[in-house]
Every structure is written in structure tokens, then in C-alpha cells.
Amino acid sequence: MKGSKTIGDALVSALSRASVFNPDVQVKPACVLWPDKSRQWEAIIPRLQSELSELLVLGPYDTEARTGPAIWLRCAIAGLVDEVSLSPNTTPILYLPGVSRQDLRAVESCDEQLKPLAELQYRGVIWSQINAKDWTILAFLKSDQGGLGLDVAQDVKTKHAMQLALYRLLEEDLALLKGKRLDKDYFNTLLTGGDPVRDLLYWLDQGEAFVESQGENAWQAFVQVIESQLGFNPQKEGVLAGAERLALQEGPWKTVWQRFCEAPHRYPNIPKQITKCNPPVFDLLANAESASGWPQWNEQQEKILLNDLKALEQLPPHEARKRILQLEEIHQERRRLVWAELDQAPLARAMQYLSVVAKVTETGLNAGTIDDLETGFSTSGWKADDAILRVLEVVKDKQHLDAIRVAIRSVYLPWLEDSALYLQQQVNENGYPGGTIESQSPGVPLEGQCVLFVDGLRFDTAKRLERLLISEGLEVTEAQNWAALPSVTATGKAAVSPVRHLIDGEDDN
């Protein structure tokens, strides 16, 4: 979207203007809410995110795509998500596909999954038309109050073509469209120009809806281009035959598959079409390269992995660790497939972190002095705790969670128990090492300094905080100490209080 101002530039500007406020009478809005009940804008969101780093999306949890459920969005705009870095100079924009302004306003009947966002309509602003309706594509192009004021036809075929042509429409020069009638023929011209592979993917995704959006001449031109370039006739052979060709990835269809993988969320129905096809027989030689086009194979592998994880219950810890590392070796390639991006390979994704747990827990914290235990945990032991939390971020389905729970208990629980029992033995013999933290106390803050007390800051969470601060360009000096016992708020707050020397208590309270 470079050079003269395009439709895409105008859309980005409109979204940015929504957060403008008067600091004399207002506080900065917490976010801009972008409701889109009919999901008209969904296809172009990944593209907009490349220009708007502050654009987050309500949807399945995927930090790389900056999407997540409502509570994740709340955490992200509050700066509590490591993987999301928002500039203080911008206002977060939350795109809400399938959600209308009215859905948010009706708090009492609001869907439970959506309720964490309802409050933001008061602290934030909603990007909507002047009549409070959601911005549709037609309204944005046509309205002269907050929109572009273009002359757009409103018949059904134009709306269909406009929806399909939206991605290409973003590149159109706004100045050249002023005074021009934008009808189905205009949008069809956009659709048939220059990128037959993308058009093929749209056809595989939308089927008859794509055909109906085309004029007869445009459709016939599309059929002829695809037959010439791919040896495939969409009109005669149909969508399912095309979906099968796509999954097989043979010859020139390899390029079509690669284009699909670049933006699979743009074509949400293609995986469903492939699952309607009869896949080849997946023998022992099938792998992530030869079977990558088939969601059926990925689903089969997930089921196999599910059973393999459950079987860890029968193994001693050292054998379970070896098996986890073997399973990671087998399934790691699936994380690079499109099915992982579409959140259809959660167990393969979980193996990345389970393998960390297996490696870390190979070395027990049940030997040496207490200083050795401290060094071992602060150097690598905490990574097991962190990896467990990462696993739980990835896996949501109960059946999957049950299998993950078996895997965790097979290698993590014995390690924890051995470490804890050994620490107790050392404390019984040599006393608890915590003592006073006077020597590490920051003391009275100097001018320009402050001390932040965080209740219950686990060591692994503190390491995440450290990485976040470093990523923001801050200098971080790390120091750790043993927690006061018992490690609960009433004791911990007293131990780090500036008046801790005035606080006393009996052993039994």
C-alpha cells in the first residue's frame, strides 16, 4: 500500500482515527473495538496486521497470528502477554469476527466467552457507522460520513463480487475511483485479473458462491486459464476433484498448495473440502512431506500420539523421558504443516514443550548441597515449570488434556517429589537457607527509582518478565533468594517489607 492513497490506506487511516481523543476532556481509550457480525472483513485481517502491529483478533489462541480468546485479548492490551508488544503511542485495535455491537451491549445475555470484552465498550471506543451499525464493506465504500463516499451499486451480485474482490480492492487507487460507478462488472474485473492461482483457491473455498459472483464471461475466462495452466477444468470436474488435486500437490498443483499455506485462514472451507475426498492409504512410509496435504493423515497422527502419551503411564520415569523425546522426533515436522497453523495439531505443538520437560528432568535436584540445588534450579530447573505452563496454553480439549496430564505425571511429578524430599532432608540436617534478605534488600529507593513488589511471582514467571523487560531495551540484573517460609502472602509481604525488623511472630502462627 505504497505510493498514492489506496483503499487499503484509507481503511487503515479510518481505524487509526477511531482512537483520536481530546486529552483535555478524555483519557486515552483502552482500545478500538471492531465488531463484524457477518465476518465481511475477515479475509483481509492478516494483511492489515502486517501494517497495524496493534491489530489483535478474537479467535483461536495463536500468538504468531496475534489471535486469541477474549481473556487473552484483555491480557494482551494490558501488556501481560510476552509475545505481544504494543507501542505506547498506539491504541490496540480488537477485531471481533462474528460479533456485533449489540452482542457487546447486551451484557446480561452476552455469551460467556465474550463477557471479558463487554466492559471495554465503556473504556474503549467502537469503530462503527454514525448510525451505530457495524461497518460493512458496502457501507465503508459508499458512506460519505466516515467512509469513502464512492458510487457503489447495491444489488446482490455486486455485494457478492465485492466480498470476493476485497483483498484485491485494497490496492485500488482511491482518487481514480472517485466519480466512477462500482458495480459487479468492476469487481469481477478485479477478480479475473492477473492471479489465477488465488482465484482457484477462492473457487475451491467458496464453490458456487464464487461462480455466482462472476459474470458468465469472467467465469469462462477463469475456466480456460486454469485448464491451460493446470490441465484441470473447474466447470467439468468440480470442487472435490480440485480439492483432491490440491491435497496431492502433484506437478503445478504444488504451487497452488504453497499459496494456500501462505494464508490458510483466508480459505476456511478448503480443509473441509479435502476431508470429503478419499485419501490414499497411509502406510508406514507416509510422513509429513508425502502426506502433508491431507488433514486426515494429520488427524490420524494426532490420535496415535494421543494413545502414545496415555501409554507413558506404564513406563518408569527414565523410560518415559526417552519415549517423549522419541515422540517429539516423530511429530515435530507436523508443527511446520498448515494444520498446526489451523490449530489442528495441538498435541504435536505440545510435544515441543513436553520434550523440554523430559530433558530438564533427566537431571534431578536430589544431590549435593543446598547451594547446588539453588544453582541447579535457577540455571535450568525452572524451565520445566515454564514448559508445563506452555503446554497448558496449547492444549484445550479435555481428551488431549487427559493425555498431557499422564505425560506430565510420568516425568515431572517424580522429579518434583525427589527434589522436594531431598531439600527437606538437607533442611533437617543443615537448616533452612532462607534466613534474612537484608543483604539483598533494595533498601530505600533513590530519587527516580521505585521498588515493585509482585505477590506470588514464581521463578519461571519472573524469568518471562526478565525477557520481556530486556526485549523492551531495559537493563536487567537478576538476583534470587530463598522464599520466606511458609511461602504465603502473610509471611512473604512481611519478609520484604521496609519495616520487617519491627515484625515478629511465633513459630506456630
Side-chain angles (χ1 to χ4, degrees), residues 96-232:
L96 311 177
V99 178
S100 71
R101 182 189 183 110
Q102 287 304 116
D103 291 335
L104 293 174
R105 291 179 66 86
V107 178
E108 294 297 329
S109 58
C110 186
D111 186 274
E112 288 295 330
Q113 301 297 321
L114 199 59
K115 279 187 177 179
L117 297 180
E119 173 265 342
L120 290 176
Q121 65 184 304
Y122 307 111
R123 288 198 298 122
V125 294
I126 299 178
W127 187 57
S128 59
Q129 301 181 56
I130 196 169
N131 61 5
K133 292 183 178 180
D134 294 353
W135 277 114
T136 62
I137 302 170
L138 176 63
F140 182 69
L141 295 178
K142 193 173 181 63
S143 174
D144 55 7
Q145 294 182 307
L148 304 182
L150 299 176
D151 181 12
V152 186
Q154 300 184 60
D155 59 278
V156 173
K157 289 187 176 180
T158 295
K159 292 178 181 178
H160 276 306
M162 182 193 313
Q163 178 78 60
L164 293 173
L166 179 60
Y167 195 82
R168 226 175 283 183
L169 181 63
L170 295 183
E171 293 292 349
E172 292 297 284
D173 191 318
L174 183 57
L176 298 179
L177 299 182
K178 294 290 185 181
K180 184 176 182 178
R181 178 67 169 176
L182 306 184
D183 56 15
K184 62 180 177 58
D185 292 332
Y186 165 76
F187 294 112
N188 284 332
T189 299
L190 288 181
L191 282 168
T192 56
D195 197 343
V197 172
R198 183 191 55 209
D199 292 344
L200 175 60
L201 290 171
Y202 276 129
W203 172 68
L204 291 173
D205 179 66
Q206 300 179 11
E208 282 303 310
F210 178 85
V211 177
E212 291 172 4
S213 72
Q214 307 294 297
E216 181 61 27
N217 291 338
W219 168 246
Q220 291 302 324
F222 165 74
V223 170
Q224 292 175 24
V225 169
I226 297 303
E227 188 169 24
S228 173
Q229 294 190 3
L230 299 176
F232 173 79

Side-chain angles (χ1 to χ4, degrees), residues 53 76 94 141 212 272 298 320 350 470 508:
S53 60
L94 306 187
L141 295 178
E212 291 172 4
K272 301 173 188 176
N298 174 70
I470 291 174
D508 60 357

